[in-house]
Amino acid sequence: MKKLLLAGLALTLTACGAQAGSGESSAPALQTGPPAAAAECNFQGTIDEFYTLPAGEPTAPLGTIVRCQVNNDIPSMDGVGTAYRVLYVTEDPNNSANTYQVGDATTRRLSSGVIFVPLGDAPSDGRKIVAWDHGTMGMGPDCAPSRTTNTTLGFQEMQPITADATPSTSPGFILNMLNNGWVVTATDYAGFGTTVPDGQPAQKPLQYLVGAPEAFDTMNAVRAARSLPVAQAGDTYGVYGQSQGGHAALFTAQFAKAYAPELNIVGAFASDPAAEMQALVAGQWNRLIAWVLGPEVMVAWPTAAPGLNPQEVMTDAADKRYGQMAQLCVTDATVPSGIQSLEGNPFFNETILTNPEWQSMLTTQTPTFDPSVPVAVGQTTNDKVVLASTTALLQQSWCDAGANLRMHWVEGPNATGDTLVDIGNGFQAHTQSAFFDAPAALEWLSDLFAGGDGKTSLTTPCTDPAPQPLS
């Protein structure tokens, strides 16, 4: 019975793809020149070869597309536009700081992703761009959205959505963006989806919930779209992200003016974002969700801040399993995570709440804001993954400090309930939050692209109190 209940919970989590293949392949040579024109966007190798990284650090300019092919695995593109699977140049900072200054040391990397290009003529100043940042998917290469061949799981966002739609009747929004004439970028984030040839050093893993690399990957995907001739993309962009992607969206807004000054960011909308990291860990460290998300943190964060020791903050049960579980797609991780939780084995020990190195890293990976960049935050009140109380904390602290912040609260049932049904509903509220928020995000981005102030009908001032009760 327990396993049946846990399997039901698994279906509520954001899915990731599988079945991309795992055969051995050699890596085609890295291109260092200008990106290919649309007619040359015809990489002919296997899917494994596309995602196999060339040897050495990239030397081409940021945003350069080094591999490109039409992605026919994504549904609903006929009559709307074309999806291009790309491998593009990005970079990581050489430290884990949540600040950025021009000249900071970085290491070039390659990230995979998708660039969606609408049909029709582009305006004279180029098409607007929306950078979509996906949520937690797992760390295994076959979990990456651009790589999966499972059309249902890879880009659920491809179905149209209307103002009165629900996720069950209209689960998506990318088509709406394309119908608006916008280019949409969808980074996988560097280290996710790609592999290295046999005998080569292991790649640095996905920098899960590490703000600067996520933001750089997001902005370099925008640069990649501008370098793709068929996109006819201008220099104006907005960001939409959910969960981990909400974290990325907020850090993109924070870094945008310093990191990519040649681009014009109009704003960033974050849906149920992992943001107030200390409060979030304090509320979730000994709950089931820590088993789902904790393994990725334990793999990624010590590579961003080498002084961190995972064994200091994990239980013995977690230490034995976290490396393997981090490679599972998120739905595949849910049942074994639930079994550990039901057997009374927390993922973290209480040291995570007091260890100074880990507490410092949590603070470092908590985004701040640039008051000149509009931000909107959506949140479901019964979210059992990103607790709504942590977003209310962000709302109050940012609003008091002068952020240009709008809110979009979505009220759900039994926000404080703790039965398996409540937890299942709360997981579903989280995984579907980007769909609940999509009408508000589309309205808000449209207003900002048109030169408006973002004070739209579906968002509220940050001075309005959060609804109660909250998870």
Side-chain angles (χ1 to χ4, degrees):
M1 181 64 178
K2 287 181 179 179
K3 289 187 177 180
L4 288 174
L5 289 170
L6 291 167
L9 287 180
L11 293 176
T12 72
L13 286 174
T14 302
C16 70
Q19 316 307 322
S22 57
E24 295 182 6
S25 62
S26 59
L30 175 67
Q31 300 171 358
T32 57
E40 298 173 298
C41 193
N42 59 355
F43 181 85
Q44 295 298 309
T46 66
I47 197 75
D48 285 340
E49 289 171 338
F50 187 95
Y51 287 92
T52 300
L53 295 174
E57 183 178 347
T59 59
L62 295 170
T64 297
I65 297 173
V66 301
R67 290 185 198 144
C68 179
Q69 65 179 187
V70 174
N71 188 339
N72 292 315
D73 296 324
I74 297 176
S76 306
M77 294 303 297
D78 290 347
V80 178
T82 304
Y84 296 92
R85 178 186 284 121
V86 296
L87 197 66
Y88 67 92
V89 179
T90 185
E91 63 184 350
D92 279 358
N94 290 355
N95 59 57
S96 60
N98 64 355
T99 59
Y100 173 78
Q101 294 182 344
V102 176
D104 283 356
T106 60
T107 299
R108 294 287 169 94
R109 303 187 70 185
L110 293 176
S111 176
S112 54
V114 173
I115 299 173
F116 296 88
V117 179
L119 298 178
D121 297 330
S124 59
D125 59 347
R127 292 187 173 104
K128 304 296 191 291
I129 305 167
V130 176
W132 162 245
D133 286 330
H134 69 75
T136 302
M137 306 290 271
M139 296 182 103
D142 290 346
C143 307
S146 79
R147 182 166 183 165
T148 179
T149 57
N150 186 322
T151 56
T152 301
L153 304 180
F155 276 98
Q156 301 176 67
E157 303 84 10
M158 283 308 299
Q159 298 300 319
I161 194 163
T162 59
D164 59 350
T166 66
S168 62
T169 62
S170 190
F173 44 83
I174 289 179
L175 281 185
N176 297 70
M177 294 176 178
L178 295 173
N179 285 328
N180 286 347
W182 304 341
V183 171
V184 179
T185 64
T187 182
D188 288 332
Y189 312 118
F192 187 32
T194 52
T195 59
V196 297
D198 291 342
Q200 295 293 324
Q203 66 175 323
K204 188 177 182 180
L206 165 70
Q207 294 296 277
Y208 180 70
L209 293 178
V210 183
E214 293 172 334
F216 293 1
D217 293 344
T218 301
M219 287 181 275
N220 287 318
V222 172
R223 287 169 166 155
R226 297 194 71 215
S227 76
L228 183 65
V230 71
Q232 301 180 69
D235 62 4
T236 299
Y237 74 106
V239 187
Y240 187 32
Q242 186 261 350
S243 188
Q244 175 199 0
H247 184 262
L250 294 177
F251 268 100
T252 301
Q254 176 183 326
F255 288 134
K257 297 292 182 72
Y259 184 75
E262 82 281 10
L263 301 176
N264 173 32
I265 185 170
V266 298
F269 194 114
S271 179
D272 288 34
E276 292 289 343
M277 301 298 287
Q278 284 187 326
L280 188 56
V281 168
Q284 297 283 49
W285 70 274
N286 60 348
R287 295 182 178 179
L288 183 155
I289 196 61
W291 272 100
V292 180
L293 308 182
E296 295 187 48
V297 172
M298 293 297 101
V299 170
W301 282 21
T303 68
L308 295 177
N309 181 353
Q311 284 69 37
E312 291 180 348
V313 296
M314 285 190 299
T315 62
D316 289 342
D319 190 24
K320 293 175 183 177
R321 296 169 176 85
Y322 81 98
Q324 181 180 8
M325 290 187 66
Q327 297 302 310
L328 298 176
C329 295
V330 66
T331 47
D332 296 330
T334 306
V335 170
S337 297
I339 291 171
Q340 290 298 318
S341 182
L342 289 172
E343 290 179 351
N345 298 324
F347 184 85
F348 293 111
N349 60 51
E350 287 185 274
T351 308
I352 189 70
L353 304 178
T354 57
N355 181 284
E357 289 81 14
W358 284 91
Q359 285 292 302
S360 176
M361 187 64 169
L362 289 168
T363 300
T364 300
Q365 301 316 319
T366 296
T368 58
F369 64 87
D370 178 341
S372 70
V373 178
V375 172
V377 174
Q379 178 68 45
T380 50
T381 59
N382 64 324
D383 190 333
K384 296 296 188 183
V385 179
V386 171
L387 300 177
S389 58
T390 68
T391 297
L393 176 63
L394 177 147
Q395 175 182 342
Q396 181 174 347
S397 62
W398 283 28
C399 199
D400 290 348
N404 186 346
L405 175 65
R406 302 283 292 182
M407 298 299 298
H408 181 246
W409 285 96
V410 178
E411 297 189 46
N414 300 319
T416 59
D418 206 29
T419 68
L420 277 177
V421 172
D422 295 332
I423 293 171
N425 287 338
F427 280 9
Q428 187 175 49
H430 180 77
T431 61
Q432 296 184 341
S433 62
F435 306 128
F436 288 127
D437 287 330
L442 288 162
E443 179 193 45
W444 186 75
L445 288 168
S446 294
D447 182 71
L448 292 170
F449 281 149
D453 59 8
K455 296 178 180 179
T456 50
S457 64
L458 297 178
T459 61
T460 57
C462 66
T463 51
D464 289 1
Q468 298 295 327
L470 301 176
S471 62

